[in-house]
Amino acid sequence: MGFFTNMEQNSKQGDILQWIIGIGDLIILNVLFFAIYYEMNDFYTKTISNNLREVVLLLNFCYFFALYFVPVKLHQSVVFLDKIVQRSFTLISFQTFLFATCLIFLNVGNDLATFIVVYYVVMVLCFSLWRVWVRVAVKFYRRKGYNSKNIIIAGAGKNGMELYRVLKNDLSYGFNVLGFFDDNEPLKDILPNYLGRIDDLETYVLEHDVDEIYCTIPGTNSEKISGLLAFAEKNMIRFYIIPEFYRDVKKSMILDMMESIPLLSIRNEPLQSAYNRVVKRAFDITFSILVLTIFYPLLYLIAGALIKLSSPGPVLFKQKRTGIYGKVFECYKFRTMKMNEDADFVQAVKDDPRTTKIGSFLRRTNLDEFPQFVNVLIGNMSVVGPRPHMLKHTELYSHLVDKYMVRHLVKPGITGWAQIMGYRGETRTLEQMEGRVKRDVWYIENWSFFLDLKIVFVTVVNMFKGEKNAY
């Protein structure tokens, strides 16, 4: 059949692209190995010299083994750059761990710790840059009209027009929209590409190169949808359904099955995975122990003395706040205000007369949050997560802001995505709180270990820069 031509071509181009990426990976993998090996040969890599061929073969084998678990996805229609960096980080971390473990078991890994660390850091940077460059090149290639899929849209209602707008606005997705099929014939005078009624779709597909069919027909026409689905499967054409309610629930959803009944979850929550929770908790414990043993004792002595000199009262301020699943816990901070009865009810504002001079400095540099690493260690907070709010604010905003309580599906954090995006400090308006909640929910739905590291890094940078919203 003639319409298989474009499908086969796209499949071949996708395979070629994956081969190019794989070859590029191997070139970077081996060139960097030998470059670092010869650069450090006199100091750390003498043990490799006698087994160089075996070590190089092992290096490449570990790459292919890791690639099986973290496959290439750069050729897909939608891939975000931060996910590319995250997958590169995961792939190289897994590959380097396997490589180092194998060297130890083969008694080749003695005195190679420095070499492996240097190789790992350089590989993460180079792999990430290489794969980001490939993705940018693929998008540029598709904008020129190459490696595109021919698609048709069944249904020209609001959903169909919205889909058409999205695909036409960004050609880098790699879609060529041939047109619409809809039973409302007067639409042919206003639609950009009206191809006929729904009944004409099958004939058109058999006579043209069509790779995919996107169905936006209302669910009340279930017989037509079933007929189109059966036709698409018979002719090996991929078929996608855009549900009617997507305009009310504009977010990615997760499909699960209970026997033969499909269940759509409206929210992807990576931290529902036990593995991800273990990874996050392990990082919390490790990071909080390092901070509490290295930095906190000296900070407590200096900050404590200055706090005592600034105003009477305790060094630490304890306040009940809302934690995971709405549970109340005591949150610790360095005291930054004079003792007052409004502390549990009134937010700090700019030029707040209650704030001491040392308190203002501690807030601006985030140092006032350091006692919360104790909260992290005992388990009622995390290093990264939505900031815990006062009980009064939880009660107030849970009635005013949609999805406000969703932010309590994970442990609150010392820092978070909303904070590094500028939503820190006082929330004067309802819009500011809505903006904070929106970013907190985004964090919950898009959590990754790499994202946590990014948030911690930006927070540390902001500590040295100082934040204008911290007062």
Side-chain angles (χ1 to χ4, degrees):
M1 293 184 182
F3 61 83
F4 289 140
T5 305
N6 196 55
M7 294 170 62
E8 293 173 356
Q9 184 179 359
N10 282 327
S11 178
K12 288 179 180 178
Q13 288 181 348
D15 292 340
I16 292 172
L17 178 60
Q18 292 189 71
W19 273 101
I20 292 173
I21 296 168
I23 293 171
D25 285 356
L26 289 174
I27 291 174
I28 293 173
L29 190 80
N30 289 278
V31 167
L32 287 178
F33 175 83
F34 281 107
I36 297 172
Y37 168 73
Y38 286 117
E39 184 68 26
M40 304 178 67
N41 189 40
D42 294 336
F43 299 97
Y44 301 106
T45 57
K46 290 181 179 179
T47 52
I48 295 179
S49 302
N50 298 328
N51 304 279
L52 183 59
R53 183 174 59 184
E54 290 81 1
V55 169
V56 172
L57 288 174
L58 181 62
L59 176 74
N60 287 271
F61 171 79
C62 289
Y63 162 77
F64 284 111
F65 188 79
L67 193 65
Y68 176 80
F69 294 95
V70 192
V72 176
K73 292 188 176 182
L74 299 181
H75 64 291
Q76 294 182 343
S77 298
V78 182
V79 184
F80 296 104
L81 292 184
D82 62 324
K83 295 296 183 183
I84 294 174
V85 176
Q86 178 186 333
R87 291 181 68 83
S88 299
F89 172 81
T90 304
L91 174 65
I92 297 304
S93 298
F94 188 29
Q95 184 262 346
T96 305
F97 173 78
L98 290 174
F99 181 54
T101 303
C102 292
L103 289 179
I104 292 171
F105 276 105
L106 293 174
N107 294 320
V108 183
N110 298 329
D111 304 319
L112 288 180
T114 303
F115 172 82
I116 291 173
V117 169
V118 172
Y119 179 70
Y120 169 72
V121 172
V122 174
M123 277 293 294
V124 167
L125 293 174
C126 291
F127 245 68
S128 298
L129 290 173
W130 154 245
R131 291 201 163 186
V132 167
W133 180 86
V134 169
R135 181 59 186 175
V136 171
V138 168
K139 295 179 74 171
F140 177 80
Y141 183 68
R142 285 175 174 167
R143 285 194 187 100
K144 295 295 183 180
Y146 303 106
N147 189 226
S148 61
K149 299 176 182 177
N150 292 331
I151 73 166
I152 55 176
I153 301 175
K158 291 182 179 179
N159 288 356
M161 294 304 297
E162 178 73 6
L163 175 64
Y164 177 80
R165 183 192 62 79
V166 169
L167 298 182
K168 294 297 287 186
N169 281 351
D170 193 347
L171 298 178
S172 65
Y173 287 139
F175 293 109
N176 176 33
V177 183
L178 299 176
F180 293 89
F181 286 89
D182 195 282
D183 289 339
N184 188 1
E185 291 190 7
L187 289 174
K188 64 183 178 182
D189 297 324
I190 57 175
L191 284 178
N193 299 86
Y194 180 79
L195 300 176
R197 297 175 60 83
I198 299 296
D199 294 338
D200 302 325
L201 184 148
E202 296 183 11
T203 303
Y204 180 90
V205 169
L206 294 174
E207 294 176 352
H208 297 80
D209 290 333
V210 176
D211 300 307
E212 297 174 354
I213 299 173
Y214 286 75
C215 179
T216 65
I217 301 173
T220 51
N221 297 316
S222 57
E223 291 185 7
K224 288 187 176 181
I225 296 174
S226 299
L228 291 176
L229 174 59
F231 168 79
E233 292 187 336
K234 181 180 178 180
N235 291 279
M236 294 170 287
I237 298 174
R238 289 183 173 84
F239 188 84
Y240 300 92
I241 298 176
I242 289 84
E244 292 178 80
F245 60 81
Y246 107 90
R247 300 184 67 84
D248 300 313
V249 188
K250 285 194 172 182
K251 56 169 61 217
S252 58
M253 289 175 280
I254 308 301
L255 179 64
D256 203 351
M257 297 293 293
M258 184 180 292
E259 294 187 358
S260 60
I261 301 174
L263 302 174
L264 273 177
S265 172
I266 63 170
R267 182 168 291 107
N268 177 36
E269 295 180 53
L271 287 174
Q272 281 190 317
S273 163
Y275 171 79
N276 288 339
R277 290 199 302 273
V278 169
V279 169
K280 187 171 177 64
R281 183 60 183 152
F283 174 74
D284 285 344
I285 293 173
T286 304
F287 195 80
S288 58
I289 288 176
L290 289 174
V291 171
L292 291 172
T293 54
I294 298 174
F295 301 107
Y296 187 66
L298 181 60
L299 178 62
Y300 185 88
L301 289 174
I302 297 174
L306 294 173
I307 290 169
K308 282 288 189 180
L309 290 172
S310 68
S311 65
V315 173
L316 295 182
F317 172 68
K318 302 177 184 179
Q319 187 177 64
K320 293 187 182 298
R321 298 201 176 185
T322 310
I324 187 170
Y325 302 131
K327 296 178 181 177
V328 177
F329 73 100
E330 276 199 337
C331 181
Y332 303 119
K333 295 182 69 174
F334 281 125
R335 183 170 60 85
T336 59
M337 291 183 172
K338 302 171 185 176
M339 299 298 292
N340 65 93
E341 297 178 354
D342 297 327
D344 292 331
F345 306 99
V346 181
Q347 259 190 321
V349 297
K350 191 172 184 179
D351 301 323
D352 196 314
R354 298 173 298 167
T355 305
T356 62
K357 289 184 178 180
I358 180 61
S360 178
F361 172 77
L362 292 173
R363 283 176 175 271
R364 192 168 59 253
T365 56
N366 291 315
L367 293 175
D368 64 319
E369 314 284 2
F370 266 63
Q372 288 167 28
F373 283 103
V374 175
N375 289 113
V376 174
L377 190 59
I378 63 180
N380 47 34
M381 284 186 68
S382 179
V383 174
V384 181
R387 285 293 298 155
H389 290 167
M390 294 187 296
L391 302 186
K392 180 184 177 183
H393 280 175
T394 300
E395 182 181 357
L396 173 65
Y397 288 113
S398 62
H399 298 292
L400 297 177
V401 180
D402 187 30
K403 299 181 180 66
Y404 179 86
M405 293 306 294
V406 172
R407 66 195 303 277
H408 299 103
L409 290 175
V410 297
K411 289 181 182 179
I414 296 175
T415 184
W417 181 248
Q419 280 62 49
I420 69 168
M421 296 299 288
Y423 289 85
R424 186 177 187 270
E426 181 188 9
T427 49
R428 295 184 180 182
T429 65
L430 186 60
E431 288 74 17
Q432 286 177 313
M433 181 58 76
E434 288 173 340
R436 177 181 290 188
V437 171
K438 179 180 179 180
R439 283 150 185 83
D440 287 338
V441 174
W442 184 91
Y443 169 79
I444 293 172
E445 296 176 346
N446 294 273
W447 177 89
S448 69
F449 180 63
F450 180 81
L451 179 61
D452 273 4
L453 293 180
K454 174 182 177 180
I455 293 171
V456 170
F457 175 78
V458 175
T459 301
V460 172
V461 171
N462 288 342
M463 284 177 62
F464 292 99
K465 289 169 55 180
E467 296 187 65
K468 63 180 181 179
N469 292 330
Y471 39 77

